[in-house]
Amino acid sequence: MKMIIAFFAVMALAYAAPQNQADRDAVVTRYDSNNIGIDGYDFVYETSNGISQQEQGTLVNPGAENESIQVRGQYSYVGADGRTYTVIYIADENGFQPQGDHIPK
């Protein structure tokens, strides 16, 4: 479920960005996904217009009352200024925690 949410979040970012010809003609150049069941998952994809994401989800405290999934990953995209922006993130019991050179600290 979280993988689906993450996928749609990245797609929302892609659709929110100004569209140019390279974006309209972009194709997926790499996609690997490993859903290892209840213990976690991982995936990676890249597109021809410079968008990429990788993510791993792992089960934390299995069987305990505070069982949860911890997600770690990163995504990159080329901004309108031609620079590549990368966001590294963790999502766990403390919420979504993004880091990037362009994100205020």
Side-chain angles (χ1 to χ4, degrees), residues 6-80:
F7 176 77
F8 284 113
V10 170
M11 291 294 101
L13 280 173
Y15 285 116
Q19 297 281 314
N20 60 35
Q21 191 62 37
D23 289 335
R24 285 192 292 271
D25 295 337
V27 295
V28 175
T29 58
R30 178 180 177 202
Y31 177 75
D32 294 312
S33 177
N34 183 20
N35 183 348
I36 53 178
I38 197 164
D39 293 330
Y41 67 89
D42 63 73
F43 70 88
V44 61
Y45 69 85
E46 297 172 359
T47 64
S48 60
N49 62 343
I51 296 172
S52 65
Q53 182 179 7
Q54 69 171 33
E55 183 174 291
Q56 304 83 38
T58 55
L59 187 63
V60 179
N61 302 319
E65 186 175 312
N66 62 341
E67 178 179 277
S68 64
I69 294 181
Q70 181 181 68
V71 177
R72 294 179 179 272
Q74 72 176 39
Y75 61 89
S76 298
Y77 62 94
V78 178

Side-chain angles (χ1 to χ4, degrees), residues 58-104:
T58 55
L59 187 63
V60 179
N61 302 319
E65 186 175 312
N66 62 341
E67 178 179 277
S68 64
I69 294 181
Q70 181 181 68
V71 177
R72 294 179 179 272
Q74 72 176 39
Y75 61 89
S76 298
Y77 62 94
V78 178
D81 58 2
R83 292 179 45 204
T84 299
Y85 294 90
T86 300
V87 175
I88 299 170
Y89 60 89
I90 297 173
D92 59 14
E93 67 275 359
N94 298 313
F96 182 68
Q97 305 156 56
Q99 295 180 356
D101 292 339
H102 62 292
I103 299 174

